[in-house]
Structure formats: C-alpha cells, structure tokens
C-alpha cells in the first residue's frame, strides 16, 4: 500500500509539473510534450472512430488506420487507441477508455493494423480509418485545418469538408436539381434551422452526400 501511494503521488507530481500522464483511464499515457503535439490528432482519431461506428453495419472484423503525410516523427499509437475508443464506445456496454480499448478489440477478434506513408495528396497530414465488418466496408479520412481544427474530408467515395462538432446529419441523395431545396423546406416545416451545409460529390457517380449542422437535433422517427 505504501508503494502504491508513493507511485500515485509521483504520477500526480509528474502531471502537475510537466503534464506527463501515466496510467490514466481517460487519457493516453504520454509525456506532457507529446500530449501537446498529439492532442488535436487524438480528437480527429476519436471522431473518425465515432463516425465509423455510425456507418458500419454488422460485427466488426478489421480496423486499418493509415497515417499519411508529415507527422514530425510522432508516435501515433495513442491516436490509434483514440480511434478504437470512438469506434467501440457505442458497441460496448461498459465504458471504453485509453487503457481498455485494445483489450476490447482483441476480445472481439477485431484485427487492428496501423501503417504510415509520407504521401498524403492535397493534405499536410491525413488520418484514414478503414473498417470491415461482416456486412459492410467503410473508409473515412480526417485532417487538421491550421494546427488544431479537426475536419472530416472523406466518407467512402465522397469528398467534403465537415466540421465534426454540434448537431450533425449526413444525407445521401441523387445529384439532381431541387434535392437540396426540398431538404431545407422539410427541415423548415419542423422548425429546424440549418447552421451549416456542405455538399460532397461522389467520384464518377450520381450521388451526393450532404452534411448538415443544425441548431437543434433532428428527431428520428
């Protein structure tokens, strides 16, 4: 008990003096300097995982995470954990945190792979999460605008610029005149105000994905 007390006291001292976190359940175990640099990417990773949880149908089989671009030699494994936390939180009844996320994935037979690449096309850095389940396969990508602002920039074949905050909705529709107008009219009839709208087009396809940020949640019936 004395050794445990001394260890806990030492960890609190490290956190208060240098920002270093060890053995916390709600944050990755990293040094204060690394956490400062990784913080924005942790947010991107968890939001990508949460988005995948809503897109994926069926039991999870495999999660592949690619870090493309310049991450300045950072250890991105805490971001992988953040992805799993976001992905598994809606699935697991118990609380998922930075300590047990990999354990839950292993217990469910989910294969987790992590790759890096120096090429990221139009972005300085890009985090891409591919999830395969028994009934679907989805790919989402995110990045940072500036130094700290997360953006979702790809959902499967659709490219867009989605700010992952607030009350959000994604609508798939045929790319034809009047579709967006009808969505606005329908929401207006239910007194739901659109704060922001982005439209992403499918590569070589006939579909759009419309991202909406609304002032109040859209009821699900």
């Amino acid at each position: 008990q004395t050794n445990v007390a001394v260890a806990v006291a030492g960890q609190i001292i490290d956190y208060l003096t240098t920002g270093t976190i060890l053995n916390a359940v709600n944050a990755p175990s990293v040094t204060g300097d690394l956490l400062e640099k990784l913080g924005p990417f942790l947010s991107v990773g968890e939001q990508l995982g949460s988005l995948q949880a809503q897109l994926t149908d069926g039991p999870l089989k495999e999660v592949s995470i690619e870090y493309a671009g310049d991450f300045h030699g950072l250890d991105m494994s805490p971001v992988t954990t953040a992805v799993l936390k976001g992905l598994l939180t809606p699935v697991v009844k118990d609380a998922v945190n930075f300590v047990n996320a990999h354990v839950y994935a292993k217990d469910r037979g989910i294969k987790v792979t992590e790759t890096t690449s120096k090429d990221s096309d139009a972005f300085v850095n890009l985090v891409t999460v591919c999830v395969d389940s028994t009934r679907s396969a989805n790919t989402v990508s995110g990045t940072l605008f500036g130094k700290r602002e997360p953006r979702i920039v790809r959902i499967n074949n659709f490219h867009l610029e989605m700010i992952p905050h607030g009350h959000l909705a994604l609508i798939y529709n045929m790319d034809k005149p009047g579709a967006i107008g009808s969505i606005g009219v329908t929401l207006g009839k239910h007194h739901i105000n659109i704060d922001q709208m982005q439209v992403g087009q499918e590569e070589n396809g006939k579909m759009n994905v419309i991202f909406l940020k609304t002032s109040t949640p859209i009821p699900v019936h």
Side-chain angles (χ1 to χ4, degrees):
Q1 290 178 339
T2 300
N3 289 338
V4 170
V6 171
V8 170
Q11 291 168 16
I12 295 299
I13 291 170
D14 287 341
Y15 172 69
L16 294 175
T17 56
T18 67
T20 297
I21 298 174
L22 296 175
N23 302 323
V25 297
N26 59 348
S29 295
V30 296
T31 64
D33 181 60
L34 180 58
L35 185 60
E36 174 68 21
K37 296 175 181 177
L38 278 182
F41 292 111
L42 292 173
S43 177
V44 170
E46 186 165 352
Q47 288 161 345
L48 287 173
S50 179
L51 177 58
Q52 277 284 21
Q54 298 173 69
L55 295 174
T56 302
D57 182 29
L60 302 172
K61 296 194 304 180
E62 184 173 356
V63 179
S64 302
I65 305 165
E66 180 186 31
Y67 300 104
D70 185 7
F71 289 94
H72 308 289
L74 294 173
D75 175 11
M76 302 302 289
S77 58
V79 181
T80 297
T81 305
V83 171
L84 294 177
K85 181 177 182 293
L87 177 64
L88 294 175
T89 292
V91 178
V92 179
K93 292 182 179 180
D94 299 325
V96 182
N97 55 54
F98 282 92
V99 174
N100 63 23
H102 280 276
V103 175
Y104 278 126
K106 183 178 180 180
D107 287 346
R108 282 161 174 73
I110 302 170
K111 180 182 179 181
V112 181
T113 60
E114 178 184 311
T115 60
T116 58
S117 170
K118 293 184 179 180
D119 299 324
S120 62
D121 298 327
F123 301 96
V124 175
N125 42 58
L126 190 69
V127 181
T128 298
V129 179
C130 302
V131 174
D132 290 335
S133 73
T134 56
R135 293 195 289 267
S136 67
N138 293 286
T139 299
V140 298
S141 297
T143 188
L144 293 177
F145 277 27
K147 293 184 178 181
R148 306 193 69 85
E149 294 297 323
R151 294 290 189 277
I152 307 297
V153 295
R154 177 188 174 190
I155 300 176
N156 293 322
N157 293 330
F158 298 95
H159 295 270
L160 70 164
E161 181 187 329
M162 172 181 166
I163 302 174
H165 294 297
H167 306 295
L168 309 177
L170 287 171
I171 301 173
Y172 293 92
N173 70 285
M174 297 295 294
D175 185 11
K176 61 181 182 180
I180 295 177
S182 65
I183 293 171
V185 170
T186 301
L187 292 177
K189 289 180 179 179
H190 291 81
H191 308 289
I192 297 173
N193 186 55
I194 299 174
D195 292 339
Q196 186 178 1
M197 176 183 289
Q198 293 280 343
V199 180
Q201 290 184 320
E202 185 179 25
E203 295 176 349
N204 304 318
K206 298 181 180 180
M207 298 290 292
N208 278 343
V209 60
I210 300 174
F211 152 66
L212 298 176
K213 180 180 180 182
T214 58
S215 56
T216 55
I218 299 176
V220 179
H221 298 289

